[in-house]
Amino acid sequence: MGQRTGELVGEVNSAHKFDTDALFRYCSVHVEGFPVSSSRFSVSQFGHGQSNPTYLLELQSDHLVKRYVMRKKPPGKLLQSAHAVEREFQVLHALGTHTLVPVPKVFCLCTDSSVIGTPFYIMEFLEGRIFVDPMLPGVAPDRRRALYHATANALASLHSADVDAIGLGGYGRRNNYCNRQVERWAKQYIASTGEGKSERNPKMLMLIDWLRQNIPSEDSSGSTAGLVHGDFRMDNLVFHPIEGKVRHNNGFELDITEGVPSLEEYLSDYCSAAGKQWPVASWKFYIAFSLFRGASILAGVHSRYIMGNASGGKRAQDAGEKANDLIQIAWSYIQRETVLSQNPPSVTRGKDYAYGIANDKKDEGLESGGRFVPNKKVKELRDKLIKFMEERVYPMEQEFSKLAQSSMRWTVHPQEEKLKEIAKKEGLWNLFIPLDSAARAREILFEGRSDDAIGTGFPNQLGAGLSNLEYGYLCEIMGRSVWAPQVFNCGAPDTGNMEVLLRYGNKEQLQEWLIPLLSGTIRSGFAMTEPQVASSDATNIECSIRREGDSYVINGKKWWTSGAMDPRCKLLILMGKTDFNAPIHKQQSMILVDINTPGVKILRPLTVFGFDDAPHGHAEVSFENVRVPAKNILLGEGRGFEIAQGRLGPGRLHHCMRLIGAAERGIQLMVQRSLQRKTFGKLIAQHGSFVSDLAKCRIELEKTRLLVFEAADQLDRFGNKKARGALAMAKVAAPNMAITVLDTAMQVHGAAGVSGDTVLAHLWATARTLRIADGPDEVHLGTIAKLELQRAKL
Ligand SMILES: Cc1cc2nc3c(=O)[nH]c(=O)nc-3n(C[C@H](O)[C@H](O)[C@H](O)COP(=O)(O)OP(=O)(O)OC[C@H]3O[C@@H](n4cnc5c(N)ncnc54)[C@H](O)[C@@H]3O)c2cc1C
């Protein structure tokens, strides 16, 4: 709960007393509307803040009470350039007169120290609230987020003020700001510490050296010059007394709505509002600098406390210790390898819910229903997943890509395995498993008991009991990064293969293959497509599976067996023919093949537009007299087509869901780029052609998302067969939409878009394959048209 500004005052500190009569006389002459006489003139001091003593002046004449605020320098010898009330007055005056940045009205500046002992200025008193604790206790959670959002916008608006236009152009130098600041605060620290003052910390001297060596290159050009607040924080903002608006910063007028954001969300808000680049390269410097500066200020406060002229009481007494804490924190921070993700959070929470399905910002929204509105359970998982992506997956993307392009490309990054363990613990594991498949496995494996009888030591092996539709809200989040799905054990082709086992495997097969797949200790491949035949028509498949006693012997060649290059790949589900003379759809069977069986040869990895998708890979594999136990046949001979149909339904709808996420990432990146880059004197975002392209991308994405959800919903309600029309439509629409959106995003990025420096090219390449890999468009279009024509015949 915020405290009222009027309640934050107390008696004037003895070190800060001054001649109140002299102040009254001065104000009567210089402050517009200030009474010439008053039946009561009282002065109290704000207890909050240690910099410049600030006072509340109250005057009563008849029944009217007038209030002003006076701010002055502290008494005694002061550090050079600190406590410059003259500067504060000048900036507030310029902003108040020439901009819409809401600051309190300033009335007069007195630089004559003979009046009350130091220079001071008078400004209007604004009734309002101050939130001392930035976690905003007592504020409804749903209002915290926008409070922060609004403060980020306010800071951005301050930074956007045109200093030349508001008369502050000659006010300070524009280049080498950081350089000058480091030197200034270093000097202040030295001056405030040492004998008889606050104790000097040698680590601070090391910190100063580090800062000097790491000043960002932009500093010397002055290209980022603007107004710098210097102490912008929650408790330096005054909020509206009732409406929950900021009144000034010393004063900005803003709306408040949601929960406290993460640092990256907040920074992302600020960068968007200010049109600034995501500061991945310079962030470590700025944070370390800010901590250093805070430490220097606190050391100054502590020294003034020791010398008896600090405001702030106990807080001033503890300031020396706090300064040392900040120095330590700065050092630990500097030593961190990564301090900021490569890219801003995919979409900040508030924005994430702005469209279509995602309109689940408020609980009321959930209660009021709607066709595709996720329920509370899904929403919680979704929030958790978004956080996981932002904090753990996006920051690792570059690192994973680096390994995948090195000579060690066919090995797994150890961090991937670590992330899998964390995802398991957080319950973000195997979320793809539909309720009915989980029920079957539970029944077969441990006779309906819901405990972890499959003995891998963690719960949620069989997912979170979600429907296909519910999973759709989550799967699209995973699709935002090519590296994400496997971290949650939701990557292709494992999900489709697990689904096959869950639906069609017997107890022995589940125990041998499903359990390690569920726990993520092995991976798998699906071997159907063959180089020598048109495999979109699976009746063409030629690989033979011949029965010999207790075994089947396999001979044939497959290609595009995704995942077979992965060192963890242990299982291949292979489709071939057990009877070349049976009716056309009864010739095929599926069989489980241990990849290490003699005769299985990985011939080469294939590439997609040059990407080999290491360490996962798409392999060409030959099978020469590969002998596998007869018990490995799935469901029985001649059932392969039936299983393929079951697998291709939900398993491949996941691709569509992920494509929505990939396109969402494309939009996010193109928007960021457009707000950062200028061509022909304008930001890309200000060019009409971009605006139109962006809007069209959003329309296409939302249309497709609805179609994908519709297909998932039909799958849940009517089953695979009846949902086939909607599934086919989604499968055509999703890759085509994603290609268009990602292509536009690449275009907006110029040459960078087609390079490996952003995720766009890889996402695009993957999306493009899905016009073929998920069954060619033409086949799905054929299904849709056939259904239309059938309907006409009825
Ligand atoms: C990245 C990637 C990953 C893959 N992963 C796997 C995997 O893990 N396991 C696996 O078994 N396979 C995989 N595949 C292969 C994929 O399933 C096949 O490429 C797909 O089924 C098409 O078969 P095909 O390549 O033999 O094309 P073909 O069957 O030769 O078809 C070629 C073209 O013919 C046209 N066509 C086909 N049918 C019709 C029709 N009815 N009407 C009009 N035109 C038509 C279409 O334009 C089609 O693109 C993958 C492919 C890619 C690119």
Side-chain angles (χ1 to χ4, degrees):
M1 191 73 109
Q3 286 175 275
R4 295 269 169 163
T5 41
E7 291 164 1
L8 289 167
V9 289
E11 250 182 65
V12 175
N13 180 314
S14 58
H16 295 141
K17 290 208 158 124
F18 59 88
D19 182 348
T20 53
D21 289 341
L23 177 71
F24 187 90
R25 284 193 300 276
Y26 185 89
C27 291
S28 302
V29 177
H30 294 95
V31 175
E32 188 192 322
F34 201 92
V36 280
S37 69
S38 165
S39 56
R40 189 174 67 86
F41 174 50
S42 66
V43 178
S44 45
Q45 185 173 2
F46 289 96
H48 183 64
Q50 292 81 43
S51 180
N52 290 322
T54 308
Y55 306 82
L56 173 65
L57 316 180
E58 287 183 292
L59 302 104
Q60 185 157 7
S61 28
D62 302 323
H63 295 294
L64 195 69
V65 178
K66 280 197 155 189
R67 289 168 166 174
Y68 296 87
V69 172
M70 190 269 280
R71 205 160 146 81
K72 70 187 273 297
K73 292 191 183 194
K77 191 171 178 318
L78 300 176
L79 296 169
Q80 186 207 342
S81 88
H83 311 285
V85 294
E86 300 88 345
R87 189 175 52 193
E88 282 181 13
F89 177 85
Q90 195 183 356
V91 173
L92 288 174
H93 186 260
L95 289 172
T97 315
H98 303 293
T99 75
L100 293 176
V101 178
V103 288
K105 185 171 178 189
V106 285
F107 296 110
C108 74
L109 169 71
C110 172
T111 51
D112 180 357
S113 297
S114 69
V115 181
I116 61 164
T118 67
F120 65 92
Y121 66 92
I122 305 288
M123 60 183 150
E124 70 177 317
F125 170 80
L126 291 175
E127 186 65 72
R129 286 175 297 160
I130 290 178
F131 295 93
V132 177
D133 183 342
M135 296 315 288
L136 303 176
V139 176
D142 68 342
R143 305 184 78 190
R144 290 182 184 137
R145 157 101 192 126
L147 166 62
Y148 271 90
H149 177 70
T151 61
N153 279 351
L155 186 60
S157 86
L158 181 66
H159 288 174
S160 305
D162 182 338
V163 286
D164 294 315
I166 65 174
L168 296 176
Y171 184 65
R173 277 186 282 157
R174 295 169 198 230
N175 58 355
N176 294 320
Y177 172 79
C178 297
N179 197 332
R180 285 181 280 114
Q181 282 282 300
V182 169
E183 297 311 322
R184 172 169 304 161
W185 292 106
K187 214 164 141 195
Q188 307 262 28
Y189 182 77
I190 302 292
S192 337
T193 53
E195 225 182 301
K197 303 175 192 166
S198 197
E199 199 180 331
R200 189 167 298 161
N201 183 341
K203 274 197 174 168
M204 181 71 157
L205 306 181
M206 285 157 59
L207 180 57
I208 293 167
D209 271 352
W210 185 92
L211 290 167
R212 282 178 178 144
Q213 283 160 29
N214 287 279
I215 290 176
S217 54
E218 70 205 19
D219 190 49
S220 57
S221 69
S223 58
T224 50
L227 271 183
V228 176
H229 186 286
D231 202 10
F232 188 87
R233 49 181 212 213
M234 188 65 78
D235 61 351
N236 270 349
L237 302 171
V238 177
F239 291 81
H240 191 279
I242 305 159
E243 295 173 33
K245 290 176 172 180
V246 177
R247 298 211 69 184
H248 72 125
N249 131 14
N250 301 320
F252 302 90
E253 195 84 19
L254 307 160
D255 285 316
I256 303 170
T257 46
E258 265 218 323
V260 178
S262 69
L263 182 147
E264 293 207 349
E265 282 173 333
Y266 188 75
L267 185 60
S268 170
D269 279 354
Y270 168 79
C271 288
S272 305
K276 287 192 191 290
Q277 269 187 330
W278 186 242
V280 69
S282 51
W283 191 243
K284 188 182 272 187
F285 171 85
Y286 286 118
I287 291 293
F289 165 70
S290 162
L291 291 163
F292 146 80
R293 185 174 164 279
S296 185
I297 291 169
L298 285 169
V301 171
H302 189 229
S303 278
R304 286 201 305 284
Y305 167 78
I306 291 171
M307 293 184 280
N309 63 354
S311 61
K314 170 91 172 91
R315 293 177 64 165
Q317 185 182 355
D318 296 341
E321 206 176 304
K322 284 193 178 139
N324 287 329
D325 287 347
L326 290 189
I327 295 165
Q328 187 51 45
I329 293 168
W331 264 114
S332 313
Y333 195 79
I334 286 170
Q335 271 139 26
R336 277 168 59 180
E337 208 167 297
T338 316
V339 293
L340 199 63
S341 323
Q342 282 298 319
N343 296 301
S346 51
V347 260
T348 58
R349 304 273 142 81
K351 288 173 196 158
D352 199 22
Y353 300 137
Y355 289 101
I357 63 103
N359 195 11
D360 51 359
K361 184 164 97 180
K362 293 191 164 107
D363 286 349
E364 311 94 77
L366 296 179
E367 280 153 24
S368 64
R371 183 82 191 276
F372 294 125
V373 178
N375 58 32
K376 196 158 177 272
K377 174 180 170 182
V378 174
K379 187 181 173 303
E380 278 168 14
L381 282 168
R382 188 178 152 89
D383 284 349
K384 230 170 158 185
L385 197 57
I386 289 173
K387 191 160 179 281
F388 195 104
M389 294 285 290
E390 287 168 357
E391 289 176 0
R392 302 182 191 279
V393 178
Y394 301 138
M396 285 306 297
E397 281 180 322
Q398 291 284 341
E399 184 70 21
F400 289 155
S401 295
K402 227 160 70 189
L403 181 70
Q405 284 160 28
S406 73
S407 57
M408 299 289 286
R409 65 198 324 117
W410 301 109
T411 62
V412 178
H413 198 293
Q415 190 62 19
E416 187 183 318
E417 290 301 308
K418 281 190 197 147
L419 291 183
K420 281 163 68 174
E421 289 310 310
I422 300 170
K424 272 181 205 171
K425 283 192 192 119
E426 294 197 4
L428 298 173
W429 191 250
N430 291 338
L431 295 174
F432 74 94
I433 300 178
L435 207 54
D436 52 347
S437 299
R440 180 180 183 269
R442 201 167 276 130
E443 192 59 43
I444 295 177
L445 281 170
F446 38 95
E447 284 94 38
R449 277 172 291 133
S450 60
D451 58 341
D452 179 27
I454 47 180
T456 49
F458 67 89
N460 305 318
Q461 301 258 21
L462 292 168
L466 303 174
S467 64
N468 284 295
L469 176 60
E470 287 173 327
Y471 178 57
Y473 299 114
L474 309 171
C475 187
E476 70 158 268
I477 308 293
M478 300 177 199
R480 291 175 184 180
S481 169
V482 291
W483 302 102
Q486 57 267 33
V487 165
F488 306 104
N489 216 33
C490 287
D494 296 306
T495 49
N497 290 341
M498 284 190 262
E499 184 67 0
V500 164
L501 287 163
L502 283 159
R503 281 172 174 240
Y504 306 109
N506 60 32
K507 185 168 183 173
E508 214 181 334
Q509 291 164 344
L510 297 196
Q511 278 170 334
E512 186 173 0
W513 300 108
L514 181 66
I515 291 172
L517 277 171
L518 284 175
S519 56
T521 49
I522 66 165
R523 296 203 64 184
S524 60
F526 184 68
M528 183 185 77
T529 305
E530 297 175 359
Q532 73 283 5
V533 294
S535 303
S536 53
D537 176 359
T539 60
N540 288 338
I541 298 293
E542 291 177 346
C543 179
S544 91
I545 307 175
R546 198 181 65 248
R547 179 83 189 232
E548 274 187 21
D550 283 348
S551 310
Y552 281 100
V553 179
I554 304 166
N555 278 288
K557 196 191 254 186
K558 300 286 180 182
W559 75 342
W560 293 102
T561 306
S562 299
M565 306 292 300
D566 192 309
R568 296 160 297 188
C569 183
K570 185 86 169 63
L571 168 71
L572 297 178
I573 299 184
L574 176 133
M575 182 149 158
K577 287 189 176 166
T578 36
D579 184 350
F580 284 77
N581 299 313
I584 194 125
H585 290 113
K586 296 287 175 195
Q587 296 179 1
Q588 297 80 5
S589 302
M590 281 200 199
I591 192 158
L592 305 170
V593 182
D594 184 327
I595 200 168
N596 297 316
T597 314
V600 178
K601 267 197 214 132
I602 306 288
L603 301 178
R604 61 170 177 144
L606 295 146
T607 57
V608 172
F609 302 112
F611 291 103
D612 60 15
D613 290 338
H616 182 63
H618 312 284
E620 183 169 331
V621 192
S622 72
F623 297 81
E624 283 173 37
N625 294 320
V626 176
R627 189 173 288 273
V628 298
K631 65 179 172 95
N632 282 17
I633 198 93
L634 274 166
L635 215 55
E637 286 188 21
R639 310 283 297 270
F641 237 91
E642 190 184 326
I643 299 171
Q645 294 307 313
R647 182 184 192 277
L648 301 191
R652 287 192 170 175
L653 190 59
H654 297 169
H655 280 309
C656 301
M657 296 165 175
R658 283 190 284 266
L659 285 164
I660 301 289
E664 195 68 77
R665 186 98 186 264
I667 290 194
Q668 179 227 341
L669 291 177
M670 85 170 91
V671 166
Q672 275 161 13
R673 184 76 167 186
S674 74
L675 290 169
Q676 286 164 3
R677 209 145 163 108
K678 277 188 177 172
T679 64
F680 300 97
K682 288 197 268 188
L683 286 169
I684 294 174
Q686 291 168 325
H687 286 283
S689 61
F690 168 80
V691 169
S692 150
D693 287 348
L694 174 64
K696 284 179 191 160
C697 284
R698 176 51 74 189
I699 293 169
E700 288 310 305
L701 194 154
E702 292 305 324
K703 281 195 314 200
T704 312
R705 178 182 264 145
L706 286 172
L707 191 52
V708 172
F709 283 134
E710 174 63 28
D713 192 35
Q714 288 195 19
L715 199 57
D716 288 330
R717 286 187 295 134
F718 311 131
N720 214 346
K721 197 166 173 214
K722 285 199 176 152
R724 66 189 184 285
L727 286 169
M729 284 189 258
K731 285 175 185 182
V732 175
N736 283 288
M737 175 281 295
I739 291 166
T740 306
V741 171
L742 290 165
D743 183 75
T744 311
M746 288 194 288
Q747 187 72 13
V748 170
H749 279 72
V754 294
S755 76
D757 284 9
T758 77
V759 292
L760 293 169
H762 202 173
L763 287 172
W764 182 90
T766 305
R768 180 60 185 84
T769 67
L770 290 167
R771 287 193 56 211
I772 298 168
D774 205 4
D777 282 0
E778 293 85 345
V779 173
H780 301 308
L781 292 168
T783 304
I784 299 163
K786 193 168 145 195
L787 288 168
E788 285 300 316
L789 294 169
Q790 271 174 6
R791 203 173 303 156
K793 277 189 215 152
L794 288 174

